């Protein structure tokens, strides 16, 4: 009666949890499609699986290292969630439940050197540059291949995750079906218009002081999480972001490498090259795209937003938040992804 027979816009409160538990996945998905986003949030509180913090992550061997990932659901379509710096798959914990009722497989890796994935030893090829964007993209591609994810990919990406995923997609366009992106950029900052504080940070990070700032003092993580949100991030949440980087020194090298890759004016060349390949592919592709814009946001300038919205087949939604939008507005993002997916890929 709850799911199939009444035609009511909202389910009766009595026995709701028991009725949901008894319903099949197909029945539950059919019912959720009828609900407004706010009502979905209430239902998800009863149906959502454990968050990323309490799930046991899987691990797969990639280029001789172990990469950790969350793996849930099943279906022909595979939603691949790719985080940025200095985060991990943990950032998606409150968004994933909205996508797990869509009939997709959900995969959220920890990039190499981050989260619960292995660190690269300083003696590895590349030395201090072992976490270059090129190497990170190689590991991401190797991860997808190791899981035999070769088609029907729908990327959901944040910040550097967008750079890596779009660069990979540019050479695997037949594998990608859609993309959701937020707080990212495909063009360098202009030093003449950058906020002085940000420009000073980038200059310091690229100097010898960068090692002390990140490898010793962990400034990237300590400032980026709380400084990247509107809401107050509690200690428990911050501790989950800190956990992979409790050891100082080279254990934090991945964060420093990402920070040193921030593009300003005409460099670094590697970053500009990867941004160009990703943006060229996206601007020429007709595949469905969902742009999640933060209000006030942080990384995406208004000029960049206007450029991106002129690409083909772009849907734009705005949510409250600074850089870590999934901490500020996870329910709104989850509902937006769910609605966009159902509208873009009807069954």
């Amino acid at each position: 009666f709850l799911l199939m027979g009444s035609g009511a816009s909202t389910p009766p409160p009595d026995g709701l949890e028991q009725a949901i538990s008894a319903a099949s996945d197909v029945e539950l998905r059919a019912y959720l499609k009828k609900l407004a986003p706010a009502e979905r949030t209430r239902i998800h509180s009863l149906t959502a699986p454990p968050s990323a913090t309490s799930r046991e992550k899987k691990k797969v061997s990639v280029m001789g290292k172990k990469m950790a990932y969350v793996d849930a659901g099943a279906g022909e379509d595979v939603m691949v969630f790719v985080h940025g710096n200095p985060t991990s798959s943990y950032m998606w914990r409150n968004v994933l439940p909205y996508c797990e009722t869509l009939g997709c497989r959900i995969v959220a890796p920890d990039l190499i050197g981050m989260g619960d994935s292995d660190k690269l030893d300083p003696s590895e090829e590349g030395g201090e540059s072992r976490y270059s964007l090129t190497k990170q993209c190689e590991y991401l591609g190797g991860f997808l291949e190791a899981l035999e994810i070769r088609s029907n990919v729908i990327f959901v990406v944040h910040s550097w995750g967008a750079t890596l995923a779009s660069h990979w997609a540019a050479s695997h366009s037949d594998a990608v079906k859609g993309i959701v992106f937020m707080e990212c950029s495909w063009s360098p900052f202009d030093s003449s218009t950058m906020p002085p504080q940000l420009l000073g940070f980038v200059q310091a990070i690229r100097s010898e002081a960068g090692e002390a700032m990140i490898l010793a003092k962990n400034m990237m993580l300590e400032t980026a999480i709380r400084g990247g949100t509107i809401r107050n991030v509690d200690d428990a949440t911050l501790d989950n972001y800190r956990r992979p980087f409790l050891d100082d020194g080279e254990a934090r090298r991945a964060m420093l490498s990402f920070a040193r890759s921030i593009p300003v004016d005409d460099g670094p060349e590697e970053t500009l090259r990867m941004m160009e390949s990703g943006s060229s592919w996206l601007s020429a592709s007709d595949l469905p795209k969902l742009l999640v814009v933060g209000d006030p946001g942080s990384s995406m300038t208004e000029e960049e937003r206007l450029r991106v919205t002129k690409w083909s087949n772009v849907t734009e939604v705005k949510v409250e938040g600074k850089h870590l939008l999934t901490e500020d507005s996870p329910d709104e993002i989850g509902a937006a992804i769910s609605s966009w997916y159902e509208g873009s890929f009807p069954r």
Side-chain angles (χ1 to χ4, degrees):
F1 170 81
L2 167 63
L3 295 173
M4 304 301 292
S6 71
S9 60
T10 58
D14 295 339
L16 176 59
E17 187 170 1
Q18 292 82 357
I20 288 174
S21 298
S24 71
D25 287 344
V26 173
E27 290 172 329
L28 183 57
R29 285 199 300 273
Y31 187 78
L32 287 172
K33 287 182 179 180
K34 302 176 182 179
L35 303 180
E39 189 62 22
R40 288 192 190 191
T41 300
R42 186 168 75 90
I43 301 302
H44 274 300
S45 69
L46 297 173
T47 63
S51 69
T53 55
S54 58
R55 288 176 178 162
E56 181 178 354
K57 292 180 184 178
K58 298 179 180 180
K59 289 197 173 184
V60 64
S61 181
V62 179
M63 297 165 58
K65 298 294 182 181
K66 295 291 186 181
M67 289 186 67
Y69 63 103
V70 172
D71 194 349
E76 291 185 1
D77 291 344
V78 187
M79 282 192 175
V80 180
F81 292 74
V82 188
H83 66 86
N85 186 39
T87 57
S88 66
S89 59
Y90 176 71
M91 73 167 291
W92 304 111
R93 68 196 181 282
N94 295 320
V95 174
L96 298 184
Y98 286 88
C99 304
E100 288 173 300
T101 58
L102 295 174
C104 300
R105 182 182 181 187
I106 306 297
V107 176
D110 293 341
L111 294 174
I112 196 69
M114 310 188 83
D116 292 307
S117 291
D118 284 352
K119 313 287 187 187
L120 299 181
D121 190 89
S123 63
E124 300 277 349
E125 181 181 354
E128 293 184 355
S129 300
R130 63 192 181 279
Y131 290 109
S132 66
L133 294 184
T134 299
K135 187 60 68 175
Q136 284 284 5
C137 197
E138 288 177 5
Y139 272 97
L140 176 61
F143 169 81
L144 296 173
E145 180 60 30
L147 295 188
E148 299 183 354
I149 298 175
R150 301 170 182 144
S151 62
N152 296 320
V153 175
I154 298 168
F155 278 119
V156 182
V157 295
H158 175 263
S159 189
W160 285 113
T163 307
L164 300 176
S166 61
H167 180 68
W168 180 88
S171 58
H172 300 80
S173 57
D174 291 343
V176 184
K177 190 172 181 178
I179 185 168
V180 179
F181 49 96
M182 62 197 80
E183 274 300 289
C184 53
S185 179
W186 282 278
S187 57
F189 289 105
D190 183 337
S191 60
S192 65
T193 58
M194 282 179 73
Q197 187 175 4
L198 177 58
L199 179 59
F201 172 79
V202 172
Q203 291 172 336
I205 283 292
R206 292 182 179 179
S207 73
E208 292 182 1
E211 269 76 8
M213 293 169 65
I214 306 300
L215 304 188
K217 298 179 181 179
N218 207 13
M219 287 177 61
M220 184 73 204
L221 193 144
E222 294 299 326
T223 60
I225 303 301
R226 283 190 165 136
T229 60
I230 291 176
R231 77 174 183 87
N232 181 41
V233 177
D234 59 52
D235 290 338
T237 298
L238 190 56
D239 284 345
N240 272 290
Y241 282 115
R242 285 174 175 144
R243 183 177 54 79
F245 304 109
L246 293 177
D247 293 338
D248 60 10
E250 291 299 323
R252 299 171 179 167
R253 176 65 65 174
M255 287 192 292
L256 178 58
S257 293
F258 271 126
R260 284 179 166 171
S261 296
I262 295 173
V264 179
D265 295 335
D266 58 355
E269 188 277 332
E270 179 191 48
T271 306
L272 300 183
R273 174 175 50 81
M274 293 182 71
M275 283 182 163
E276 174 60 27
S277 71
S279 64
S280 294
W281 169 72
L282 282 165
S283 63
S285 172
D286 193 44
L287 58 77
K289 310 169 188 71
L290 175 62
L291 169 63
V292 181
V293 177
D295 183 14
S298 173
S299 295
M300 178 170 278
T301 64
E302 179 64 9
E303 180 182 7
E304 182 85 347
R305 185 193 70 80
L306 292 173
R307 183 170 73 94
V308 169
T309 54
K310 293 178 181 177
W311 293 347
S312 174
N313 209 0
V314 175
T315 300
E316 180 183 9
V317 297
K318 182 175 287 188
V319 301
E320 183 180 42
K322 292 174 72 175
H323 185 60
L324 292 177
L325 300 182
T326 58
E327 293 295 334
D328 282 324
S329 297
D331 296 321
E332 292 80 0
I333 292 172
I337 294 173
S338 178
S339 177
W340 168 81
Y341 176 81
E342 291 171 345
S344 299
F345 311 104
R347 300 192 177 191

